[in-house]
Amino acid sequence: MRDGQTVTVLDVNITEFWKFLERSAEETADPTQRLDWLTIRLSRVSVEHIADFQVHLEAARRPIDTYAMWGAANQIMDGFCSGDGFWYFQPWLIGQGQRWWHHAAQNPDNLADLPAVRALAGRGPREWADADWPHWEELAYVAPRAYDRITGREDSIDEALDARGHRTYSNPEPTDQRWDSDSLAQIEQRLPRLARLFPRQQYVKP
């Protein structure tokens, strides 16, 4: 991580949200260091803009909170993507940046194009380093921690979001059609490229 550099965030609109998130990736590839960088920088802006960041982050979940995407994540994780696992996968995908987030949202099989996904191919999940896992649960806590730091009160961002009429949810809530992501036939039909990149090591139904 480069020291001595700052970024000025005057407003956290949706464009600045993505720029800010992507700037953290330019600073460092280490997930923990990215979190530190984001928390420190967010702590320098107004509480209103910190809340903006959280709203944009949660809004970015909606297009990828689908059974279609869950099945794709499940394929990458060799059939071991639980509800919690998918919930943590979503901020990881958002953290890849707007281009890749949008590309995957268009078609979950497009995850096969993401450099971070391709880097996992050819190895089973048990061989992945902790930093390689497609999970980034902690991104969801960056804005709340920065908000608490400024206000000196724990969970203080919740009141601000409630005042905006913003609904926060904490588990996947897909609304598209559920499908059997353990069916080989459906996997090959829906996720042909991911199926080639990540052939399932455990039993799947024919």
Side-chain angles (χ1 to χ4, degrees), residues 47-48 50-51 142-152 156-157 160:
V47 290
E48 290 80 7
I50 296 173
V142 164
R145 286 170 179 163
Y147 206 101
D148 290 352
R149 179 179 294 185
I150 290 178
T151 63
S156 53
I157 197 171

Side-chain angles (χ1 to χ4, degrees), residues 152-165:
R153 295 185 295 112
E154 191 172 338
D155 300 326
S156 53
I157 197 171
D158 295 339
E159 297 176 9
L161 295 177
D162 287 345
R164 293 184 180 201

Side-chain angles (χ1 to χ4, degrees), residues 11 37 42-43 59 77 95 98 109-110 150 160 164 168 171 182:
D11 186 12
W37 189 92
L42 274 178
S43 298
M77 298 181 203
Q98 186 176 24
D109 201 34
N110 287 343
I150 290 178
R164 293 184 180 201
T168 297
N171 295 287
D182 288 323

